[in-house]
Amino acid sequence: MRFRKLMIKTVLNAVAWILSLLVLIPFVVVIINSFKTDAEVNVLTLKLPEKWMFENYSVVFERGNLAVSFFNSTLYSVVSSLLLVIVVAFSAFVLARNTTKLNRFIYYFLVLGITLPLNYIPLMSVMKSLHLINSQFGIILLYTAMGIPISLFITYAFVHNIPKELDEAAVMDGCNAFSLFFRVIMPLLKPILVTVFVLNFMNVWNEFTAPLYLLNDVDKWPVTLAVYNFFGQFSAQWNLVSANIVLTSIPVLLVFLFAQKHIVGGLTSGSVKG
Amino acid sequence: MKSKNLYPWYFSSGAIIIYTLFIVVPAIVGIYYSFTDWNSYSTVKNFIGLDNYKEIFAGDDVYLTYIKNTFVFTIFTTIAKTILGLFIAILLVSGIKAAGFHRMVIFSPQVLSFLIVGLVFKSLLDPNYGFLNNMLESLGLDFLAKSWLGSVAWAMPSVMAVDTWKGMGYIMVLFVAGLLAIPQDYYEAAEIDGAGFFQKLFRITLPMLMPTITIATVLNITYGMRVFDIIYVLTNGGPGYATDVINTAVYQAFAKGYWGMGSALSSVLFVVMAVVSVFIIRIMTRSEVER
């Protein structure tokens, strides 16, 4: 009996390792090949490079227009996430607290965007008429808009769990709407707002479709578009493309490592009853 | 009176304005454009009624292929991610060693962009220098090596496999959270009654996980119907029309300057998703209320 249990445990552990390896191997292949020479990279293998080409990375950084696109991606991610946190905190607070028929309608109207597809062709003409096409400000506002539905959904549920008695106590102490919001509600919402910020940061950093349709100016491209364009030019040199892939994935992997708890929390909230 | 002062309506106006301008207005304008022949070759937009829609549903079979592919992609990736996600989640909560490490590794592709994942697999699956065919050859399995993304028969399964590879970690995390919420006494009671692994799985685990299964399915369906990035990067819809879905067709119509037709294709997807959404939002908010 004990032997059988040990067998099962061993098999289960082995299966878990096989699954992890299946996920890791593609990454390992890319990392190893990012250090190879043009000649050696002709065939992608797990063999270590004969000569470690660290200079691939500096080549990629210069030729891939990465300084500019790193700046752009950071700008888009940070500013749109900040704006998102502000508008979502304000609206979640009011919509969850004052549940009139109209407010419930507004809530569903906004949350419906979780599932609806974006129509980029008319979006282009709408942004043109607002003078926001091919502009950094325009794309930041668009990213904020795209983040609103899911962020509101998870923040709304969080506001619901803050006891309403706190509001009453605050009013007794002489709070008005603004001081109630900034002094009482905002500090309590901090954990969920951090989650909203991190999730949106990562989504925007990884986003690819909006700039493909809306930004035709190289100087405004985010990292994703710069990488795609680099691939178009250097598709025969997989060592350089691999270095480019590694380099541009580092920021988002770092964010993931530091903010794991918030990311997983945001993904599961609303979907699992606890 | 008091609550009106405490919860001013204009607090929600920022979200409403931005969302309406960038999400809702384009959707409505798009439906209008879908009835026109708007294109990049002329300055006038002519109203042509249902002609675009007639072409999609009654004209060339190509458009029906896009719609069929979208459904095939959605159905298969939904099933694959749900089953794999559930399997891995059960494995990881069964008391194996280094479960936290495995969970992080299997989740990690979720963090990367579709573009990056697409480029990585474009290299791995290349017929000539790709890692996969290389591996198969060195294992003496040459006959299995093929042009994964370049053959009509294998392109769609390959794309779906890559997408599942990326997305299963997300679904796994949902299931892990769901599994941890099941009270342990249920299993203890079942064990006392002499229940085996499968009895516990079908009588306790799966019924208790129904809300999570529902949400996972819903998320996978909405994602699958809207898929674009991963296909654009891996195959750009080819070879032929083998992996073309609605959104890659919209992009091609956009790039060719057929904006009226692109809007019509987009609107078809919009209408389908709007109908589905009503059910979806109801399911999602119901699980919220029960909490």
Side-chain angles (χ1 to χ4, degrees):
Chain A
M1 192 60 194
R2 187 181 281 172
F3 176 73
R4 207 182 133 222
K5 263 202 168 143
L6 193 72
M7 277 287 289
I8 292 173
K9 275 258 138 79
T10 315
V11 170
L12 291 180
N13 274 296
V15 173
W17 276 105
I18 290 169
L19 284 165
S20 279
L21 282 179
L22 277 178
V23 173
L24 280 175
I25 284 175
F27 296 140
V28 176
V29 172
V30 168
I31 292 169
I32 287 179
N33 287 283
S34 73
F35 290 106
K36 288 184 179 172
T37 60
D38 285 358
E40 214 187 332
V41 84
N42 273 340
V43 177
L44 294 178
T45 58
L46 276 174
K47 246 194 354 228
L48 290 177
E50 279 164 24
K51 181 169 176 269
W52 289 80
M53 298 283 289
F54 291 101
E55 54 266 48
N56 284 349
Y57 280 82
S58 51
V59 170
V60 161
F61 196 82
E62 278 161 34
R63 286 211 246 167
N65 200 26
L66 283 190
V68 174
S69 60
F70 265 113
F71 172 80
N72 287 335
S73 279
T74 312
L75 178 79
Y76 303 156
S77 304
V78 171
V79 179
S80 76
S81 305
L82 279 177
L83 196 58
L84 178 68
V85 162
I86 295 166
V87 298
V88 163
F90 270 109
S91 54
F93 166 60
V94 168
L95 296 177
R97 279 298 199 242
N98 193 15
T99 50
T100 58
K101 257 202 171 131
L102 176 66
N103 274 352
R104 283 196 74 74
F105 172 79
I106 292 173
Y107 173 69
Y108 284 118
F109 171 71
L110 293 174
V111 166
L112 209 60
I114 293 176
T115 53
L116 292 179
L118 233 156
N119 200 340
Y120 281 100
I121 296 173
L123 176 67
M124 197 184 66
S125 71
V126 168
M127 286 179 80
K128 201 177 244 167
S129 61
L130 295 170
H131 300 286
L132 288 172
I133 189 113
N134 204 18
S135 99
Q136 299 189 311
F137 183 57
I139 202 125
I140 285 170
L141 284 178
L142 172 64
Y143 282 135
T144 303
M146 285 161 70
I148 285 173
I150 187 70
S151 309
L152 180 69
F153 180 70
I154 59 179
T155 313
Y156 183 90
F158 201 92
V159 174
H160 250 308
N161 292 339
I162 300 175
K164 226 175 164 174
E165 286 77 23
L166 279 177
D167 301 13
E168 286 156 21
V171 172
M172 300 283 251
D173 290 342
C175 275
N176 61 21
F178 279 90
S179 52
L180 167 67
F181 180 72
F182 283 108
R183 294 222 192 135
V184 182
I185 303 295
M186 269 293 243
L188 289 170
L189 285 181
K190 214 172 120 194
I192 200 69
L193 295 181
V194 172
T195 299
V196 164
F197 184 93
V198 171
L199 284 179
N200 198 66
F201 182 97
M202 295 182 46
N203 285 343
V204 173
W205 189 275
N206 287 336
E207 219 279 334
F208 174 62
T209 316
L212 191 66
Y213 276 94
L214 300 165
L215 293 179
N216 44 37
D217 194 340
V218 182
D219 292 333
K220 291 168 186 158
W221 279 358
V223 168
T224 42
L225 219 52
V227 172
Y228 190 69
N229 189 56
F230 185 87
F231 169 75
Q233 288 177 347
F234 295 89
S235 59
Q237 286 164 280
W238 270 102
N239 50 346
L240 296 185
V241 172
S242 299
N244 199 329
I245 288 171
V246 174
L247 210 51
T248 51
S249 306
I250 288 172
V252 79
L253 283 174
L254 285 178
V255 169
F256 170 58
L257 286 178
F258 284 115
Q260 259 193 80
K261 195 181 70 187
H262 298 290
I263 294 162
V264 174
L267 296 181
T268 50
S269 70
S271 52
V272 182
K273 289 192 287 178
Chain B
M1 191 62 204
K2 201 178 84 183
S3 81
K4 258 187 193 160
N5 295 333
L6 213 45
Y7 312 120
W9 63 269
Y10 51 81
F11 270 26
S12 57
S13 54
I16 296 171
I17 292 170
I18 296 176
Y19 174 84
T20 306
L21 270 184
F22 289 89
I23 313 281
V24 180
V25 171
I28 296 166
V29 173
I31 289 171
Y32 164 71
Y33 285 153
S34 73
F35 297 116
T36 70
D37 65 353
W38 186 34
N39 63 61
S40 58
Y41 308 107
S42 107
T43 46
V44 277
K45 298 184 191 87
N46 298 308
F47 188 83
I48 53 166
L50 288 170
D51 283 7
N52 286 326
Y53 291 98
K54 274 185 200 149
E55 203 179 328
I56 293 172
F57 290 107
D60 221 325
D61 275 350
V62 169
Y63 292 107
L64 295 178
T65 307
Y66 301 150
I67 295 171
K68 192 196 91 195
N69 284 347
T70 308
F71 278 98
V72 167
F73 180 91
T74 305
I75 291 168
F76 280 95
T77 54
T78 298
I79 294 172
K81 284 180 207 171
T82 308
I83 291 178
L84 276 168
L86 180 61
F87 170 76
I88 299 168
I90 290 176
L91 181 71
L92 293 188
V93 298
S94 68
I96 60 161
K97 283 187 186 130
F101 168 81
H102 291 305
R103 190 168 62 189
M104 202 170 102
V105 167
I106 294 167
F107 180 75
S108 62
Q110 187 60 38
V111 176
L112 300 171
S113 64
F114 281 102
L115 169 76
I116 295 294
V117 169
L119 289 179
V120 167
F121 275 91
K122 218 175 155 70
S123 73
L124 296 179
L125 299 177
D126 188 278
N128 302 316
Y129 53 77
F131 176 76
L132 182 59
N133 280 355
N134 255 314
M135 268 272 286
L136 291 172
E137 273 158 35
S138 62
L139 292 172
L141 298 167
D142 306 45
F143 60 95
L144 286 178
K146 48 180 68 70
S147 176
W148 298 100
L149 296 169
S151 73
V152 172
W154 283 93
M156 191 52 130
S158 302
V159 168
M160 293 191 298
V162 173
D163 190 67
T164 304
W165 178 88
K166 184 182 193 293
M168 67 185 181
Y170 179 83
I171 303 303
M172 168 204 71
V173 166
L174 296 185
F175 278 123
V176 167
L179 286 171
L180 294 178
I182 301 177
Q184 279 304 305
D185 358 340
Y186 290 9
Y187 292 107
E188 283 158 20
E191 268 162 38
I192 291 167
D193 292 343
F197 173 80
F198 286 101
Q199 273 180 313
K200 282 189 280 181
L201 178 68
F202 286 107
R203 297 272 170 84
I204 302 173
T205 311
L206 290 182
M208 292 293 287
L209 280 181
M210 266 332 274
T212 317
I213 293 172
T214 315
I215 293 293
T217 309
V218 156
L219 289 174
N220 284 328
I221 290 174
T222 53
Y223 162 74
M225 295 295 291
R226 297 184 295 183
V227 66
F228 172 71
D229 300 20
I230 193 76
I231 293 181
Y232 179 73
V233 176
L234 280 174
T235 61
N236 197 11
Y241 306 107
T243 56
D244 254 319
V245 289
I246 295 175
N247 271 337
T248 56
V250 172
Y251 185 73
Q252 284 151 17
F254 164 78
K256 285 182 199 149
Y258 302 142
W259 297 328
M261 190 63 199
S263 299
L265 273 168
S266 240
S267 299
V268 169
L269 186 61
F270 182 84
V271 170
V272 172
M273 291 312 292
V275 173
V276 176
S277 299
V278 174
F279 293 99
I280 286 171
I281 298 296
R282 192 170 287 172
I283 291 167
M284 287 177 81
T285 44
R286 193 181 55 205
S287 68
E288 200 55 49
V289 169
E290 279 170 15
R291 198 207 311 237

